[in-house]
């Protein structure tokens, strides 16, 4: 039995929801920096890099700054993270390689199995703040089976700007109510809901590491609240 | 051994190259019209519909007309094809369903096997005059394994406008020389070549039906000249 039979496409947040950015960036940073003699809390370094990335999207969203890709924001904000950890010896080639580490993140253990189940019934579509090339590179390396990728470079702004959710409806030629946004971030889902999309919250307690778990949303706050993509696939029905 | 190791993405023309539009539309037209008592040469009907579709893209390309999706052009031009065959009894619901038949085309027999082989090494990307929703719907029904879909609705013009090929390079974050355009239409490939893309010609002699076969291009006119997607996969190397 299929629940939500009216849902034709699932649109997914990528960073945190589909892939473990913290684990991936910790690994990439260690691979680059440990051979140069640095010993850091690699997870803390990942968090210190992610925070200014989130902040760097705001002026684009408010149109104080022209659109730049997430790849470009990764390179820019790397300098902030390196500064915070007093690392001054990386050359431009190394910095570029490390910034491109955001293209080499791994999915959560349940991601691919769940997506493959969901893909049989509906379109599974990235609706990401990442640019298409970034999300595509990540997918090719990790085997993430997107039906198609809608990157922020199509609309040239960032979630939770309403234009992103509206573009999904327009580009997929579906009513907003035929689309379900899947994310581990209440802000993303609330913005999607305000544009008429249905919402699925996936709990990713380890997104920022141990001890930073956010509470589960209240029952009824989103259409679906689950702990994994496989549970989401079961909830939506085979 | 991989030939063309510098090629990171293959961009595909869809109508004619990936799918057999003529066979699919002949089937869709027969399914709709035969029960209403019409007996046509269904392949001829498909050809009579396709020709004005090709013509309808020209004023969009030249900016005489604002962009409208290929789905919309399918609906518009259906009236021309019906008129040519003196069919005046379809209601709007039937016309819409028939126009959406372009979302239900089948791949050529070699398409999916070849794409799955190519997908292991490179990104396989639709670069189509179809809008995303059209190409995605077709892919979901037929199992066409795109890594992502770049539809004409992203650039709001039609091939062979240079803006389409340039957008592939920009959105995939690749040099034009890292992209190979795959098509059965020399015009599409020549336009791609003029923007710096590499080119693979796939011969589809039955695109317009028996007796309308176009000659094979001269050796050297395109980087690769093959008769199927499986031959293309072999030529590019495993």
């Amino acid at each position: 039995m299929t629940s939500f039979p009216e849902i034709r496409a699932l649109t997914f947040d990528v960073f945190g929801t589909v892939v473990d950015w913290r684990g991936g960036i910790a690994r990439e940073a260690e691979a680059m920096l440990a051979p140069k003699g640095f010993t850091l809390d690699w997870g803390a370094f990942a968090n210190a890099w992610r925070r200014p990335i989130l902040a760097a999207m705001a002026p684009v969203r408010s149109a104080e700054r022209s659109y730049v890709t997430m790849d470009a924001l990764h390179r820019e904000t790397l300098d902030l993270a390196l500064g915070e950890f007093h690392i001054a010896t990386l050359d431009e080639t190394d910095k570029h390689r490390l910034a491109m580490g955001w293209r080499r993140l791994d999915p959560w253990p349940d991601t691919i199995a769940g997506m493959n189940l969901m893909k049989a019934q509906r379109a599974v579509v990235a609706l990401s703040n990442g640019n298409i090339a970034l999300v595509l590179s990540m997918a090719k390396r990790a085997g993430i089976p997107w039906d198609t990728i809608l990157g922020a470079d199509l609309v040239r702004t960032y979630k939770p700007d309403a234009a992103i959710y509206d573009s999904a409806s327009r580009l997929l030629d579906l009513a907003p109510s035929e689309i379900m946004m899947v994310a581990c971030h209440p802000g993303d889902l609330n913005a999607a809901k305000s544009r008429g999309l249905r919402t699925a919250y996936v709990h990713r307690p380890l997104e920022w590491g141990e001890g930073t778990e956010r509470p589960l949303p209240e029952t009824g706050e989103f259409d679906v609240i689950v702990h994994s993509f496989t549970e989401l696939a079961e909830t939506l029905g085979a």
Side-chain angles (χ1 to χ4, degrees), chain A:
Chain A
M1 208 187 80
T2 305
S3 303
F4 303 97
E6 71 283 13
I7 299 296
R8 306 276 303 277
L10 302 164
T11 53
F12 292 78
D13 171 61
V14 171
F15 295 95
T17 302
V18 168
V19 296
D20 168 19
W21 56 261
R22 187 176 192 270
I25 290 303
R27 179 198 65 217
E28 292 283 331
E30 183 172 6
M32 170 68 70
L33 296 171
K36 298 182 191 295
F38 293 99
T39 316
L40 315 179
D41 177 339
W42 304 109
F45 179 81
N47 287 2
W49 193 355
R50 181 68 175 157
R51 275 186 217 100
I53 293 166
L54 297 180
M57 289 188 272
V60 173
R61 212 152 36 217
S62 65
E64 286 164 68
R65 182 180 184 186
S66 299
Y67 174 77
V68 288
T69 64
M70 184 63 78
D71 277 327
L73 295 183
H74 288 152
R75 174 62 195 85
E76 273 182 33
T77 50
L78 172 58
D79 287 333
L80 301 175
L82 292 173
E84 198 172 324
F85 283 78
H86 310 289
I87 299 168
T89 54
L90 283 199
D91 65 21
E92 191 48 48
T93 303
D94 285 344
K95 286 182 180 181
H96 176 77
R97 175 162 174 80
L98 189 46
M100 289 291 126
W102 291 87
R103 293 186 174 193
R104 294 185 295 272
L105 306 177
D106 290 325
W108 296 107
D110 53 275
T111 291
I112 290 177
M115 283 181 65
N116 278 325
L117 290 170
M118 292 185 267
K119 203 174 144 85
Q121 302 287 327
R122 278 116 167 169
V124 299
V125 177
L127 189 66
S128 178
N129 277 337
N131 43 304
I132 289 173
L134 162 55
V135 178
L136 176 60
S137 297
M138 190 189 294
K140 292 301 286 182
R141 176 185 169 281
I144 302 169
W146 298 118
D147 282 311
T148 196
I149 296 166
L150 302 179
D153 41 346
L154 298 184
V155 186
R156 302 175 69 80
T157 184
Y158 285 110
K159 293 186 292 180
D161 190 315
I164 301 261
Y165 309 98
D166 294 351
S167 79
S169 172
R170 183 179 71 249
L171 293 170
L172 300 175
D173 190 23
L174 295 173
S177 61
E178 294 177 307
I179 301 173
M180 181 175 273
M181 184 76 209
V182 181
C184 66
H185 306 123
D188 195 351
L189 295 177
N190 281 320
K193 188 158 66 170
S194 77
R195 306 310 295 176
L197 279 65
R198 307 300 292 268
T199 51
Y201 173 90
V202 182
H203 198 49
R204 296 297 192 193
L206 296 178
E207 182 181 2
W208 290 86
E210 302 280 352
T212 64
E213 187 165 347
R214 54 173 95 73
L216 270 179
E218 301 286 328
T219 304
E221 194 173 341
F222 303 114
D223 293 308
V224 175
I225 297 175
V226 293
H227 287 75
S228 70
F229 278 24
T230 39
E231 188 188 347
L232 178 57
E234 280 165 28
T235 303
L236 295 176

